[in-house]
Amino acid sequence: MDHLDKLENQSIYIIREAYKQFKDIAILWSIGKDSTTLMWLVRKAFYGKVPFPALHIDTSYKFNEIYEFRDEWAKKWGIKLVVGKNDQSLSSGMGPDQQDKLSCCGQLKTDALKQTIDKYRYKALLLGIRRDEHGIRAKERVFSPRNKQFQWDYKDQPPELWDQFKNKQQGEQHIRVHPLLHWTELDIWMYIHRENIPIVSLYFARDGKRYRSIGCEPCCAPVDSNADTVDKMVEELKTTKVSERSGRAQDKERAYMMQKLRALGYM
């Protein structure tokens, strides 16, 4: 069994364990490389099916390529797609150019997520975050509890020694489940290559530029790269010194801001 097989097996175990414990569960699908890899693993775990809804939080500012990919592959994979929006904030004019990024993400992502969870009464969510992606995400657990306001206390997380996960819900807790927490960005791309997983075209270089991380179009900038195939991305990642999220809006990527966002319920 090679490295990718071990990662895959552990993730599938976590996915199945989460589904066993929480029937009111959904997968958060941002359409990025990580959440699409997670979707692929869910389909493997359940023999080609996704037995719970896929939740996409739509800020209305995503790249067109994201919406096109979402609709195409949700149909091909037979996914029950749930789209969550903060319509009240959008109708009031909230957007990346109107407020600071902390306020914008708070209303269009975090509040939209909270509203959707509350509407559909999800007890748990599967998310495709990784520890190596950001210093604050390194503090997460595989089964990570939130309080009834969906807030995260990063100072009070359950121990997970020897892969013994605290997967029981207490009271009105909401649980975030992170089956890719132990993966790296390089692992993700090597797995995408091995499995031939479909990925949004934004990741592939055009005219010497590509996106390492995608989200809202006004908040993302491409990085210098000639990696126009997955093979080339894998080789690039073996030597690059550029941060994965270097192209994202920096006023929310700073450690304090990201920590504050995640404490309030951000993805």
Side-chain angles (χ1 to χ4, degrees):
M1 183 181 295
D2 68 12
H3 176 64
L4 291 179
D5 289 331
K6 291 177 182 178
L7 292 174
E8 178 188 74
N9 285 349
Q10 184 174 5
S11 295
I12 287 175
Y13 166 75
I14 293 166
I15 290 164
R16 288 173 174 166
E17 186 67 17
Y19 185 57
K20 175 184 175 183
Q21 296 296 333
F22 310 105
K23 294 305 179 185
D24 296 322
I25 193 171
I27 175 175
L28 195 63
W29 192 24
S30 71
I31 325 299
K33 64 185 184 304
D34 300 305
S35 65
T36 300
T37 296
L38 178 57
M39 185 72 77
W40 186 268
L41 287 162
V42 169
R43 294 177 68 248
K44 273 203 163 186
F46 300 107
Y47 308 102
K49 304 294 184 182
V50 180
F52 36 75
L55 172 56
H56 181 236
I57 298 302
D58 182 9
T59 64
S60 298
Y61 291 94
K62 305 289 187 179
F63 290 91
N64 286 334
E65 289 90 339
I66 288 177
Y67 295 118
E68 292 167 1
F69 184 95
R70 180 195 71 186
D71 295 343
E72 176 185 357
W73 288 97
K75 183 177 180 180
K76 286 182 176 178
W77 286 339
I79 292 168
K80 181 182 178 181
L81 183 65
V82 174
V83 177
K85 286 185 178 182
N86 187 340
D87 290 319
Q88 183 176 355
S89 289
L90 286 168
S91 63
S92 70
M94 172 57 73
D97 298 327
Q98 304 301 316
Q99 295 285 344
D100 62 273
K101 299 300 187 294
L102 182 63
S103 298
C104 185
C105 283
Q107 292 187 42
L108 300 189
K109 292 184 178 180
T110 304
D111 290 349
L113 178 61
K114 291 178 182 178
Q115 292 166 10
T116 309
I117 291 171
D118 189 57
K119 178 180 179 180
Y120 292 97
R121 300 184 182 278
Y122 296 131
K123 301 298 184 186
L125 280 182
L126 292 166
L127 290 85
I129 70 166
R130 310 184 323 270
R131 284 195 177 100
D132 76 321
E133 190 176 3
H134 196 286
I136 302 309
R137 286 173 171 162
K139 298 179 181 180
E140 282 282 10
R141 298 293 188 265
V142 174
F143 285 81
S144 182
R146 265 66 173 168
N147 65 22
K148 63 181 181 181
Q149 284 82 37
F150 311 116
Q151 295 172 331
W152 175 54
D153 184 355
Y154 65 93
K155 295 180 180 179
D156 184 22
Q157 291 290 288
E160 291 182 337
L161 305 175
W162 305 291
D163 289 343
Q164 298 297 307
F165 306 123
K166 187 178 180 181
N167 53 18
K168 301 294 185 181
Q169 199 170 22
Q170 295 182 353
E172 296 182 342
Q173 280 183 340
H174 170 75
I175 306 296
R176 304 282 176 90
V177 185
H178 305 123
L180 301 182
L181 207 55
H182 54 298
W183 294 55
T184 67
E185 184 186 10
L186 181 57
D187 293 331
I188 292 291
W189 282 113
M190 290 174 64
Y191 189 72
I192 288 169
H193 180 261
R194 188 183 85 171
E195 301 287 308
N196 196 27
I197 300 173
I199 292 294
V200 178
S201 61
L202 294 164
Y203 287 111
F204 299 100
R206 299 175 186 169
D207 302 320
K209 297 280 188 180
R210 78 176 185 91
Y211 291 91
R212 286 273 299 280
S213 181
I214 61 175
C216 293
E217 186 170 5
C219 301
C220 295
V223 299
D224 294 332
S225 174
N226 292 310
D228 55 3
T229 67
V230 176
D231 272 335
K232 291 180 182 178
M233 289 180 200
V234 170
E235 292 306 311
E236 179 182 83
L237 287 175
K238 291 178 180 178
T239 59
T240 186
K241 302 297 182 184
V242 178
S243 168
E244 178 180 1
R245 297 177 71 88
S246 60
R248 302 297 286 268
Q250 292 304 304
D251 57 344
K252 83 173 179 65
E253 290 301 317
R254 292 196 302 270
Y256 170 75
M257 289 300 184
M258 181 62 87
Q259 182 165 290
K260 187 172 182 179
L261 279 168
R262 290 191 63 75
L264 293 172
Y266 183 70
M267 295 76 127

